[in-house]
Amino acid sequence: MELVIQQLLLGLTNGMVFALIALGYTMVYGILELINFAHGDLFMLASFLALTLVGLFGLGDASGGTLAVGLVGVIVVCALFAAGLNWVVDRVVYKPLRKAPKLAPLVSAIGVSFVFMNLGLFWGGLPMDEFGGGVAPAAPKSFPELLPNINLLGEDATLRVTPKDLLVIVSSLVVMAALFWFVNRTKLGKAMRATAQNPVAARLMGIDVDKVIGATFLIGGALAGFAAVIYSLYINTINFQMGYQNGLYAFTAAVLGGIGNIRGAVLGGLVIGLLRAFSDQFIGAQWQPAILFGTLILILVFRPTGLLGSTAREKV
Amino acid sequence: MSEPLLSLSAVHTSYGNIEALHGIDLVVYPGEIVCLIGANGAGKTTTLMSISGCVKTRSGTIRFDGKDITQMPSDRIVRLGLAQSPEGRKIFPRLTVLENLEMGAFIRDDKAGIAADIERVIALFPILGERRHQAGGTLSGGEQQMLAVGRAMMSRPKLLLLDEPSLGLAPLIVLKIFEVIKTLNAEGTTILLVEQNARMALRHSHRGYVLETGAITMADKADVLLADPRVQAAYLGEGDH
Ligand SMILES: Nc1ncnc2c1ncn2[C@@H]1O[C@H](COP(=O)(O)OP(=O)(O)OP(=O)(O)O)[C@@H](O)[C@H]1O
Ligand SMILES: [Mg+2]
């Protein structure tokens, strides 16, 4: 029983991170029908920025209030960085291709993904102490354990719940609640859903569709930046390929949930997280990809639009 | 007469290499209901979409309320007071009826005024009140049409473009829509109406234009067009009185 709950916790924490990244894929797809392949690598770059900032601020030795303030600062800077970078990429790379065939921005997104990955490689090669100076650029960098690695249930308890688990789950829930509030309750949020559902009608309502697209990239980027910080704090190691791996999980989550659907992305992220945890524990890690993609295929066979895709009457 | 509210002069619009409008001249004066009739594919929708800035014109000038709007982006045109209820309704399917109406008022910030106008739309189309929390995509065709007209009213436009508002509707609902058009006009909204139902449209309009394969072939007072044998032969089939 404890084992099941332990894996549930592991699945949830990982799933939250996948969900946060999946939201960025799904929101952009919803509005542009573009799979932004660079999104995972944006997440990776934000982790490198997080590690750099942790070093610059000397957070490795900080504790208590200083650490808390510092972490909030790192989250804010990384979210702003990823939001801004995502926005710039849209303006410079995707926007000129709005009227081109869909394949053109898609191939460009793959190009941006490679550019980001090589930036990550370059960044990892910088002679910074926090990167373990001298270690090869491609080598994983260790991200300091800033949160106490203790069991909140007591060190003797069989079930292990750490402050890191709580941080990931609680802060993700808060961020997602804020996103849902924004999308469902604010004027700009409603305009985003309207633009995704019918861009021509949105124009006829006086909505500046370009601005709405820009806002979508900003928000998706900010979510990836936030996810990068909490994931790095949780997993304590980063490398230039982590965006590719996690991006693939997140993209799968978005498709599983119904690409373009915001609730679907969250649901998909959690499903992928839980599937991974349980298949690793009870079936074997070597079977994980087979289980994941087998499930994806099964779901798409029976529900081609994904779990909450547009045949369901769910609101976006 | 006063200055036109809307004027098109020599407007050419193409899709790729195919020219759909071959130089349209059209004026609408403040307070008028003007209808634009023509066969399928004549270019009626293209004309309205050119005015709203959703398709780019190749040459010619479109002026609205004293400003050149030929190259203006659609959202700025709406802000000048020109709204459209488009062909095929284009309701936001997964927004509720209320949210659809709110989107119609996107350019406005006066919360109280928006709420009052939502009530006004509901007073005109009571069924929308009953369906207010339902997703737009789940409404019937007629209900969606009412929602599209109501949504276009929500920006309080000076000029309202209506593209086939009666298409596919039961006769009673068609009457209802035309009644609302009359009411809006009496309250000061100028209207440019595209209709398949030419007889009904001409009866409710001050003036009319006939569009044939991308060019205006007739322009006159509505009752003159109604009496014209060519219009009667082409657009007012016997029997549908
Ligand atoms: N998106 C498009 N791409 C290419 N050609 C188009 C497009 N839209 C319209 N056309 C062409 O332009 C011409 C005018 O079409 P338009 O839709 O304006 O006609 P309409 O008068 O509104 O017809 P209907 O009464 O059927 O609505 C037609 O020949 C049509 O095939
Ligand atoms: Mg048409």
Side-chain angles (χ1 to χ4, degrees), chain B residues 80-92:
Chain B
L80 292 178
L82 198 165
Q84 182 181 162
S85 163
E87 179 174 59
R89 301 158 192 145
K90 299 195 165 47
I91 292 302
F92 301 116

Side-chain angles (χ1 to χ4, degrees), chain B residues 117-128 146 149-150 153 176-177 179-181 183-184 187:
Chain B
D117 281 355
I118 288 181
E119 289 315 312
R120 188 168 79 115
V121 171
I122 288 174
L124 290 172
F125 302 114
I127 188 76
L128 295 182
M146 295 182 215
V149 174
M153 290 164 51
K176 176 81 205 177
I177 297 256
E179 208 178 279
V180 169
I181 292 173
T183 310
L184 285 176
E187 291 171 3

Side-chain angles (χ1 to χ4, degrees), chain B:
Chain B
M1 232 177 178
S2 52
E3 280 289 296
L5 183 59
L6 175 76
S7 66
L8 281 70
S9 33
V11 169
H12 292 253
T13 301
S14 310
Y15 295 104
N17 292 325
I18 302 163
E19 191 174 81
L21 300 182
H22 317 297
I24 300 280
D25 294 294
L26 180 152
V27 287
V28 180
Y29 291 96
E32 279 192 309
I33 302 181
V34 172
C35 73
L36 180 61
I37 58 177
N40 293 122
K44 306 180 293 295
T45 299
T46 305
T47 305
L48 295 196
M49 285 306 194
S50 303
I51 297 170
S52 283
C54 286
V55 297
K56 288 278 157 265
T57 55
R58 179 157 282 185
S59 64
T61 321
I62 305 175
R63 295 182 64 81
F64 173 69
D65 204 16
K67 293 175 195 70
D68 187 338
I69 60 165
T70 318
Q71 301 295 332
M72 211 180 261
S74 321
D75 57 288
R76 283 186 50 210
I77 295 175
V78 179
R79 283 174 197 277
L80 292 178
L82 198 165
Q84 182 181 162
S85 163
E87 179 174 59
R89 301 158 192 145
K90 299 195 165 47
I91 292 302
F92 301 116
R94 291 181 300 285
L95 298 192
T96 65
V97 167
L98 280 184
E99 287 172 331
N100 268 280
L101 292 175
E102 282 172 27
M103 284 298 107
F106 183 80
I107 61 167
R108 297 169 57 185
D109 281 317
D110 56 322
K111 283 209 165 130
I114 294 172
D117 281 355
I118 288 181
E119 289 315 312
R120 188 168 79 115
V121 171
I122 288 174
L124 290 172
F125 302 114
I127 188 76
L128 295 182
E130 288 170 38
R131 304 258 185 274
R132 64 178 79 203
H133 297 299
Q134 204 167 310
T138 65
L139 299 186
S140 77
E143 290 163 354
Q144 289 192 14
Q145 189 61 66
M146 295 182 215
L147 181 55
V149 174
R151 188 179 64 174
M153 290 164 51
M154 286 299 298
S155 64
R156 294 216 167 186
K158 297 187 185 102
L159 174 66
L160 182 56
L161 311 181
L162 299 170
D163 197 340
E164 306 208 16
S166 77
L167 187 73
L169 301 188
L172 270 179
I173 315 248
V174 174
L175 280 178
K176 176 81 205 177
I177 297 256
F178 276 98
E179 208 178 279
V180 169
I181 292 173
K182 278 281 186 201
T183 310
L184 285 176
N185 182 246
E187 291 171 3
T189 310
T190 307
I191 286 163
L192 175 57
L193 174 67
V194 161
E195 260 299 335
Q196 291 284 318
N197 195 336
R199 184 186 307 278
M200 192 81 166
L202 284 168
R203 276 189 187 149
H204 287 82
S205 303
H206 301 106
R207 290 190 302 117
Y209 287 85
V210 176
L211 187 62
E212 282 173 25
T213 54
I216 301 282
T217 53
M218 279 188 250
D220 217 321
K221 290 214 156 60
D223 45 6
V224 176
L225 289 178
L226 268 173
D228 189 296
R230 287 167 299 172
V231 174
Q232 287 182 342
Y235 305 108
L236 309 173
E238 289 306 309
D240 96 90
H241 293 285

